[in-house]
Amino acid sequence: MNKKMAAMMVMGGIMGTSASAMAAANPFSDVPADHWAYDAVVKLAADGVIEGYGDGAFKGNRNITRYEMAQMVAKAMAKNTAGADKAIVDKLAAEFAEELNNLGVRVSNLERNADMLKWTGELRYIFQRTNNEGAADKSHNRAELRLFPTAEVNDHWHVKARITARNDMKNDTTTNATLTYIYAEGAYKNFTVAAGKMPLSSTNDEGLVVDDFFSGVQLTFGRKLQTVLEYGRWNLGNSTVSKNNAADYQGIQFNYNSGKVFAGAGYRHLSSDSFKGITGVSANEDNFNIWSAGVNYRFDKNFSLAGAYAQNSSADDYAKAGNICLNYKGINRKNPGTWGAYAAYRYIGRNASLASTYNTISFGGHNRKGWEIGASYVPFKNVTTDIAYFHGKQLLDGKDSNTLFARARFMF
């Protein structure tokens, strides 16, 4: 039997996976016809692990996407197979783990039966050069190793961590490996709780305000309509304040994601003596109150338009930040040849955008406005490349400023 036809025969059996999963966007590229997963699915179909339509017929002769293949794997996982078939299911679950997570299917059974502790990692090479009019060029050339251990505690709880080590390739110096974050996370049907040092990201504005880590507690409620509550302490060393001490932090954000439209709003309160007297802040102001909102609209599978705005109501100057970005296509690190590009205009006031996710800004400096273009490409499976160029003005004096950023990532 033709492999593609056989795979399509079994697809109908998984159509009832979940209504919300079927409504999600389908960003995954087609699985090649010679992919080993086809053989695996045909074997499971022959063994009756995955069933076709009731009449035994197949519906059409079209390519199967990774999204659809993941649904087949979810159906097979639900049957709790044993022996050789179970080994096939486990291998498929590992291959399509990201897609399964997107469908809301947990792979804890696979993790528990394979290994209680799993390691993934990433090697990065980064080059950056910034030129500010009237000042000497600043360059940055480093290699960075990131290791991500994940330990399963039980069906709901996992411990997650990141270990980071860097090499300054310009000066041939290496840092010791450090524990960037470590936290426990419990995932339940309608909410998730996390405690420890964990990622701090303003997802409501796509990282305009902050993309770093904080120590505390995070509660997340809902799926399509999501509420995120955060409480703890944030070290300001990686922020625009650049002082190595912690601020008290409380935050709330609301996110809505329909697949085609993502929108969100958030509020973050920070308290620290480090705020007093910094550029644009009065000498007696020790609180930051930052409001932000963002929206991302996907026109079709190729184009999307995103916009975000943030304002610090406690600052006198450099208290606003904004971003608008047009995206074209996008990469899938498991699919060589995929690529994406974008064009953006950014206005980054340092007292509203404290640690943004934008590479040219985080490496080149805040308090700037201007245009940026960038592109990403996947030359080999699990290898990605990025390049971006920012050109604009410094908010302080209106002088020219530009930053070139390039990165290669090897993920394992």
Side-chain angles (χ1 to χ4, degrees):
M1 181 181 292
N2 179 278
K3 294 179 180 178
K4 189 178 295 186
M5 292 173 61
M8 289 308 302
M9 287 177 61
V10 302
M11 213 188 79
I14 49 78
M15 289 302 180
T17 302
S18 73
S20 60
M22 293 301 295
N26 183 356
F28 307 108
S29 59
D30 290 347
V31 178
D34 58 354
H35 198 286
W36 65 265
Y38 278 106
D39 288 327
V41 169
V42 169
K43 173 68 164 58
L44 294 175
D47 292 346
V49 176
I50 305 177
E51 300 170 355
Y53 290 95
D55 58 4
F58 67 97
K59 307 299 182 181
N61 183 21
R62 59 186 177 85
N63 291 336
I64 299 176
T65 67
R66 291 184 64 88
Y67 178 87
E68 294 165 338
M69 191 70 82
Q71 294 181 69
M72 297 182 191
V73 176
K75 179 72 173 181
M77 290 172 65
K79 287 208 168 185
N80 295 319
T81 53
D85 285 340
K86 185 183 184 309
I88 294 174
V89 172
D90 286 353
K91 186 178 179 182
L92 286 167
E95 168 70 19
F96 297 97
E98 291 184 12
E99 289 81 4
L100 287 166
N101 287 335
N102 232 7
L103 291 169
V105 178
R106 300 184 65 251
V107 293
S108 59
N109 288 337
L110 171 65
E111 294 168 351
R112 185 164 54 250
N113 293 327
D115 197 340
M116 296 294 288
L117 178 64
K118 299 183 67 176
W119 291 80
T120 56
E122 178 182 329
L123 175 62
R124 296 183 168 197
Y125 291 101
I126 299 171
F127 172 80
Q128 171 262 324
R129 180 182 295 276
T130 296
N131 175 265
N132 291 322
E133 182 182 352
D137 290 359
K138 296 180 180 180
S139 63
H140 179 98
N141 187 10
R142 82 181 186 202
E144 180 176 293
L145 176 66
R146 298 181 175 186
L147 298 176
F148 304 93
T150 301
E152 181 181 343
V153 179
N154 53 44
D155 285 349
H156 295 288
W157 285 86
H158 287 76
V159 173
K160 301 181 179 181
R162 186 181 113 186
I163 300 169
T164 309
R166 296 187 175 101
N167 169 248
D168 183 339
M169 300 178 69
K170 181 178 180 180
N171 300 309
D172 193 29
T173 58
T174 303
T175 66
N176 293 326
T178 59
L179 186 62
T180 305
Y181 64 73
I182 183 168
Y183 63 99
E185 180 181 80
Y188 294 86
K189 183 176 181 181
N190 294 315
F191 75 95
T192 300
V193 56
K197 184 163 186 177
M198 71 198 78
L200 171 63
S201 177
S202 53
T203 55
N204 65 283
D205 55 43
E206 299 192 321
L208 175 63
V209 173
V210 62
D211 184 1
D212 198 57
F213 310 96
F214 82 109
S215 297
V217 178
Q218 180 188 75
L219 298 174
T220 304
F221 302 91
R223 292 185 178 275
K224 187 174 182 179
L225 181 60
Q226 190 178 76
T227 301
V228 182
L229 303 174
E230 295 171 329
Y231 176 85
R233 300 269 285 170
W234 178 37
N235 190 294
L236 301 172
N238 292 329
S239 74
T240 55
V241 180
S242 299
K243 294 185 179 180
N244 193 29
N245 53 19
D248 291 328
Y249 167 71
Q250 302 91 41
I252 182 172
Q253 55 184 323
F254 304 97
N255 297 320
Y256 170 79
N257 191 351
S258 68
K260 194 176 185 68
V261 177
F262 170 85
Y267 166 74
R268 290 165 184 83
H269 173 80
L270 299 107
S271 178
S272 172
D273 287 339
S274 296
F275 299 145
K276 294 180 178 180
I278 65 174
T279 304
V281 179
S282 64
N284 60 355
E285 181 61 72
D286 59 0
N287 289 283
F288 271 13
N289 295 285
I290 301 176
W291 303 83
S292 64
V295 62
N296 188 323
Y297 180 78
R298 179 166 293 279
F299 296 95
D300 52 36
K301 66 178 182 179
N302 289 328
F303 286 97
S304 67
L305 182 65
Y309 176 81
Q311 182 169 350
N312 184 346
S313 60
S314 303
D316 301 317
D317 298 306
Y318 313 119
K320 298 178 181 179
N323 173 70
I324 185 167
C325 182
L326 178 64
N327 299 286
Y328 178 67
K329 290 190 174 181
I331 63 172
N332 180 341
R333 68 181 178 90
K334 293 187 177 182
N335 191 358
T338 56
W339 65 281
Y342 68 89
Y345 179 80
R346 312 197 197 283
Y347 183 102
I348 309 296
R350 58 171 292 166
N351 293 329
S353 180
L354 302 182
S356 72
T357 193
Y358 314 126
N359 291 311
T360 57
I361 300 299
S362 60
F363 282 90
H366 291 65
N367 256 20
R368 297 190 293 170
K369 63 179 180 179
W371 292 93
E372 178 174 322
I373 57 173
S376 301
Y377 178 71
V378 181
F380 313 104
K381 182 178 180 180
N382 292 328
V383 178
T384 68
T385 58
D386 307 284
I387 188 166
Y389 178 73
F390 172 90
H391 179 76
K393 302 285 186 179
Q394 300 178 68
L395 299 183
L396 181 63
D397 52 22
K399 292 184 177 181
D400 288 343
S401 177
N402 61 72
T403 297
L404 174 66
F405 174 87
R407 178 178 63 190
R409 304 166 65 195
F410 300 81
M411 287 158 279
F412 54 91

